[in-house]
């Protein structure tokens, strides 16, 4: 093969390699906001590195990780570590957290009253029905002095701690009627129920009035227990493309974007 042909062949192979890299697609499951909004922000940055980021929006927390475990997604960005640990136990999965991105508050919201002191005797409070978010909701009600939990479950400091259930309520001075409901159904009743405990993403998606916020548990415990993570399968944890997504999610530009866009409604976790 003469020199000219070698050069042409070399250039052709290089072009193929660049094209293949430029077309590298990563699909991540997320909720519409804030997860999807943040992922959309990093798309241009990743495109410059040859990564075509696709965001698949889900209405619930479980399905993205079901699809990730079934290899229908490359990663998810939707849950915090306690929820992920529960998911792995229930589904016999081994999904792994890569980097924390943001922390969403848990909010006690009411369309009826404007102050905790106005919570009436016998009021119904709707909380998520999954074990992790229900436990966090009960911890919120405990911190808001609306109920008292047993001492062994009135805190959550590590993944080995047990989250409370309604059976762990020691005292309920206002005789609150606590109703558990599937998280995906919460958004449909926010404006027609007296009191509801909901995740920050539902508050953002529904564009709720701040005046209805009675109590906020911000999850800023210094341990990032409630930080929302980029998650993938173990064999993909060191995938260069996944690592580039992680770096983009933990960049200063992304931190500034979270602070500017969400104005304190969520917090950067890095």
């Amino acid at each position: 093969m003469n020199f000219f042909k070698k050069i042409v062949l070399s250039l052709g192979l290089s072009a193929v390699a660049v094209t293949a890299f430029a077309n590298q697609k990563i699909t991540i499951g997320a909720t519409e906001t804030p997860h999807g909004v943040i992922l959309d922000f990093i798309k241009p940055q990743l495109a410059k590195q040859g990564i075509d980021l696709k965001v698949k929006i889900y209405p619930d927390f479980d399905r993205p990780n079901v699809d990730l475990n079934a290899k229908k997604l490359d990663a998810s960005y939707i849950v915090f570590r306690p929820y992920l640990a529960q998911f792995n136990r229930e589904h016999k999965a081994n999904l792994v957290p890569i980097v924390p991105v943001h922390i969403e508050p848990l909010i006690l919201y009411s369309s009826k009253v404007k102050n905790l002191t106005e919570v009436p005797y016998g009021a119904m409070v709707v909380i998520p029905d999954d074990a992790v978010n229900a436990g966090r909701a009960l911890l919120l009600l405990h911190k808001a002095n609306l109920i008292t939990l047993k001492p062994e479950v009135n805190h959550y400091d590590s993944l080995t701690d047990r989250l409370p259930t309604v059976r762990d309520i020691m005292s309920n001075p206002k005789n609150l009627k606590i109703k558990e409901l599937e998280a995906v159904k919460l958004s449909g009743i926010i404006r027609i129920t007296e009191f509801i405990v909901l995740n920050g993403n539902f508050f953002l998606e529904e564009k709720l009035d701040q005046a209805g916020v009675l109590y906020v548990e911000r999850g800023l415990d210094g341990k990032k227990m409630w930080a929302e993570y980029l998650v993938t399968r173990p064999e993909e944890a060191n995938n260069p493309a996944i690592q580039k997504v992680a770096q983009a999610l933990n960049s200063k530009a992304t931190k500034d974007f979270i602070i500017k866009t969400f104005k304190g409604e969520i917090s950067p976790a890095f």
Side-chain angles (χ1 to χ4, degrees):
M1 185 182 297
N2 63 36
F3 178 76
F4 178 74
K5 287 184 177 179
K6 286 182 180 179
I7 293 294
V8 171
L9 179 60
S10 176
L11 289 173
L13 290 173
S14 296
V16 169
V18 169
T19 301
F21 182 66
N23 290 333
Q24 188 171 14
K25 185 168 76 172
I26 293 292
T27 304
I28 299 181
T31 64
E32 183 177 355
T33 187
H35 309 84
V37 174
I38 295 170
L39 288 170
D40 282 342
F41 171 74
I42 66 171
K43 279 184 179 181
Q45 180 182 341
L46 291 170
K48 292 176 183 177
Q49 301 177 68
I51 296 172
D52 180 12
L53 176 61
K54 302 295 184 184
V55 181
K56 184 173 182 180
I57 299 300
Y58 290 81
D60 64 281
F61 305 134
D62 246 7
R63 180 54 55 181
N65 288 318
V66 169
D67 285 354
L68 174 59
N69 195 47
K71 300 184 178 181
K72 295 178 181 178
L73 297 172
D74 299 298
S76 70
Y77 165 36
I78 202 165
V79 295
F80 36 65
R81 285 186 299 159
Y83 195 100
L84 181 63
Q86 180 75 14
F87 176 88
N88 281 337
R89 285 192 294 271
E90 291 180 353
H91 294 266
K92 295 181 172 57
N94 193 29
L95 302 181
V96 294
I98 303 300
V99 291
V101 184
H102 77 274
I103 302 171
E104 290 180 20
L106 195 67
I107 298 165
L108 174 60
Y109 184 85
S110 175
S111 60
K112 308 295 181 183
V113 306
K114 306 300 181 186
N115 194 289
L116 275 177
T117 59
E118 299 175 23
V119 177
Y121 187 85
M124 177 179 288
V125 181
V126 179
I127 68 174
D129 72 345
D130 66 272
V132 176
N133 282 302
R136 191 183 178 194
L138 291 169
L139 287 170
L140 178 150
L141 296 175
H142 173 85
K143 291 175 183 177
N145 296 315
L146 291 173
I147 62 172
T148 302
L149 294 169
K150 294 175 183 176
E152 63 267 28
V153 290
N154 66 9
H155 59 280
Y156 192 73
D157 301 314
S158 75
L159 292 176
T160 58
D161 289 347
R162 181 172 73 83
L163 281 161
T165 69
V166 291
R167 292 186 295 276
D168 293 307
I169 298 174
M170 281 181 57
S171 67
N172 184 359
K174 287 184 176 288
N175 193 32
L176 300 177
K177 305 297 188 292
I178 298 174
K179 177 178 177 60
E180 297 179 77
L181 189 68
E182 188 180 356
V184 71
K185 296 178 181 177
L186 295 180
S187 59
I189 65 164
I190 289 171
R191 292 178 174 83
I192 60 173
T193 191
E194 274 190 295
F195 303 95
I196 190 166
V197 180
L198 67 159
N199 295 82
N201 66 297
F202 289 123
F203 186 87
L204 292 170
E205 287 172 13
E206 295 296 319
K207 298 179 174 59
L208 296 175
D209 185 356
Q210 285 283 351
V213 176
L214 301 185
Y215 190 88
V216 180
E217 192 280 287
R218 295 199 173 275
L220 303 177
D221 55 11
K223 300 178 181 180
K224 300 179 182 175
M225 291 298 297
W226 303 109
E228 312 266 322
Y229 274 73
L230 177 69
V231 172
T232 191
R233 297 182 299 279
E235 67 271 18
E236 296 295 328
N238 294 317
N239 180 331
I242 296 292
Q243 288 298 315
K244 288 183 186 297
V245 173
Q247 290 164 15
L249 285 171
N250 274 188
S251 68
K252 182 181 184 302
T254 300
K255 177 179 283 190
D256 292 343
F257 175 78
I258 290 172
I259 293 169
K260 181 179 179 181
T261 303
F262 297 101
K263 299 178 174 60
E265 291 178 325
I266 65 173
S267 303
F270 56 95

